[in-house]
Amino acid sequence: AQSVTQPDIHITVSEGASLELRCNYSYGATPYLFWYVQSPGQGLQLLLKYFSGDTLVQGIKGFEAEFKRSQSSFNLRKPSVHWSDAAEYFCLMFSGGYNKLIFGAGTRLAVHP
Amino acid sequence: EAGVAQSPRYKIIEKRQSVAFWCNPISGHATLYWYQQILGQGPKLLIQFQNNGVVDDSQLPKDRFSAERLKGVDSTLKIQPAKLEDSAVYLCASSSSQGAEAFFGQGTRLTVV
């Protein structure tokens, strides 16, 4: 079955520290992968996406993600976190064979000053 | 370009009442999604349209939920009768095609009392 797993429900980091949010997927082929951010009271905003090609993708707000087929992972990274990055982050997968856009459960990021 | 519009933003109803949510996708977007996001969980797909046809409604509780997308543009999601466990944020999203980036509305927060 197709699924997206975000193992970390909550993560707390200090401002200026590096960040890595984990995402693992289950799908028989190469999926389309996305990271979205949801700030309180705001809609979901696309950070970056992977369809094919270069496995390291750059996004907005200084985020990047790396697709690793061998690990079925698409982890989100940022070298230096800002207080405004505190939000909920969702990893999504589109499985073409099933035409499904599937969400992970989300990771809530808190940033300490 | 205008984003995905949803209304109302907030709704409070008593259990067993009916409620309807409206979504206006981005112009020209063929794919439209309705998601239910219960507090603390990732969004769950309720129904997916491709133009005015249903692609996936496997997780739609059809005994009380219904959705339509007349003329392949606007969509309405209805709950009749509502239950306490329907309290959630209902998200509408659209994309130009299946697998393309999805654009999300701000959601409708439903509280059933």
Side-chain angles (χ1 to χ4, degrees):
Chain A
Q2 319 99 63
S3 65
V4 177
T5 302
Q6 293 181 245
D8 305 304
I9 298 174
H10 294 281
I11 284 184
T12 301
V13 299
S14 298
E15 191 168 18
S18 63
L19 172 70
E20 182 169 31
L21 302 182
R22 295 183 291 165
C23 172
N24 293 96
Y25 68 89
S26 175
Y27 182 55
T30 300
Y32 296 163
L33 295 162
F34 308 84
W35 275 100
Y36 281 78
V37 60
Q38 186 177 42
S39 299
Q42 302 296 314
L44 284 148
Q45 181 184 23
L46 179 71
L47 288 175
L48 46 76
K49 60 190 175 187
Y50 173 79
F51 287 175
S52 64
D54 193 349
T55 56
L56 184 64
V57 293
Q58 302 297 320
I60 62 171
K61 304 185 180 186
F63 286 93
E64 66 177 26
E66 186 170 12
F67 172 68
K68 292 186 178 181
R69 185 191 308 275
S70 61
Q71 298 177 20
S72 297
S73 70
F74 188 57
N75 293 349
L76 182 71
R77 301 192 293 246
K78 186 169 185 177
S80 177
V81 171
H82 189 262
W83 64 266
S84 61
D85 293 324
E88 184 133 29
Y89 292 80
F90 291 97
C91 181
L92 278 68
M93 173 180 77
F94 182 82
S95 55
Y98 299 91
N99 290 326
K100 287 183 180 290
L101 183 60
I102 301 169
F103 274 80
T107 298
R108 183 167 297 278
L109 173 67
V111 180
H112 277 318
Chain B
E1 107 189 316
V4 176
Q6 288 188 249
S7 67
R9 287 293 310 277
Y10 305 92
K11 190 74 177 179
I12 301 174
I13 62 172
E14 295 182 349
K15 59 183 179 184
R16 291 187 290 274
Q17 284 188 324
S18 303
V19 65
F21 313 129
W22 174 80
C23 173
N24 185 16
I26 291 173
S27 177
H29 279 194
T31 306
L32 186 146
Y33 307 89
W34 281 103
Y35 287 88
Q36 180 193 57
Q37 185 177 17
I38 293 173
L39 187 64
Q41 300 180 18
K44 180 185 81 172
L45 179 68
L46 292 175
I47 190 166
Q48 177 183 340
F49 292 94
Q50 184 69 14
N51 297 308
N52 60 350
V54 175
V55 174
D56 183 358
D57 63 357
S58 57
Q59 297 194 87
L60 187 74
K62 298 180 186 64
D63 57 334
R64 298 184 299 107
F65 286 64
S66 64
E68 59 182 10
R69 189 183 184 195
L70 299 176
K71 301 181 181 178
V73 182
D74 294 5
S75 178
T76 303
L77 177 69
K78 296 179 181 177
I79 307 175
Q80 180 181 10
K83 293 184 175 181
L84 295 177
E85 58 261 35
D86 298 331
S87 294
V89 175
Y90 290 84
L91 296 169
C92 179
S94 70
S95 66
S96 57
S97 62
Q98 293 180 108
E101 172 189 351
F103 293 82
F104 288 83
Q106 298 231 353
T108 296
R109 182 177 297 278
L110 173 68
T111 303
V112 182
V113 297

